[in-house]
Amino acid sequence: MLEMTREEFEELVAEGLDRIPPELTRLMDNVAVFVEDEPPAEAPDLLGLYEGTPLTERGEWYAGVLPDRITVYRGPTLRMCATRDEVVAEVEVTVVHEVAHHFGIDDERLHALGYG
């Protein structure tokens, strides 16, 4: 397995967020991004997870709720990548994928766009 400190991995996630165009990041609302070492036991190969209410589904009722949560998982990403460059690319794809869910874009469309 490729070795990378948690701090290095968190920096890659931050860089992935920085690559999202500012006109989109300005639209992100009430969402927090986290790095965890491992996903839930029932999904050991999961690279990222979006939990929350997409912007496209929010209505007048949406107030006073906890932030949506995007989690990027370090362990499975490092296990599937052979080089640091592969990790950089995979983290960027994972970040974009999960942020897209925040905007209401489903997995089928993301796969079609190459972010599957």
Side-chain angles (χ1 to χ4, degrees):
M1 181 170 98
L2 185 67
E3 294 293 324
M4 182 177 289
T5 68
R6 184 179 176 106
E7 292 76 22
E8 289 173 304
F9 192 84
E10 288 173 348
E11 183 61 33
L12 292 181
V13 171
E15 289 172 8
L17 286 167
D18 288 344
R19 287 189 197 96
I20 296 172
E23 55 271 15
L24 291 179
T25 56
R26 280 193 293 272
L27 298 173
M28 293 174 66
D29 182 46
N30 200 30
V31 61
V33 179
F34 299 91
V35 170
E36 296 289 340
D37 287 330
E38 295 295 334
E42 63 272 9
D45 297 326
L46 189 66
L47 302 181
L49 180 64
Y50 170 76
E51 300 170 285
T53 304
L55 295 175
T56 54
E57 296 178 17
R58 295 180 185 180
E60 292 179 18
W61 60 268
Y62 189 85
V65 299
L66 292 174
D68 291 2
R69 182 179 175 101
I70 291 173
T71 307
V72 180
Y73 298 105
R74 181 174 159 261
T77 304
L78 295 180
R79 285 191 291 276
M80 74 174 286
C81 296
T83 67
R84 179 172 169 53
D85 288 342
E86 287 180 14
V87 174
V88 170
E90 192 58 53
V91 166
E92 184 172 342
V93 167
T94 301
V95 167
V96 169
H97 183 105
E98 302 311 330
V99 167
H101 285 320
H102 176 69
F103 284 103
I105 301 171
D106 64 18
D107 281 330
E108 184 177 329
R109 181 70 178 135
L110 286 168
H111 285 271
L113 294 170
Y115 289 99

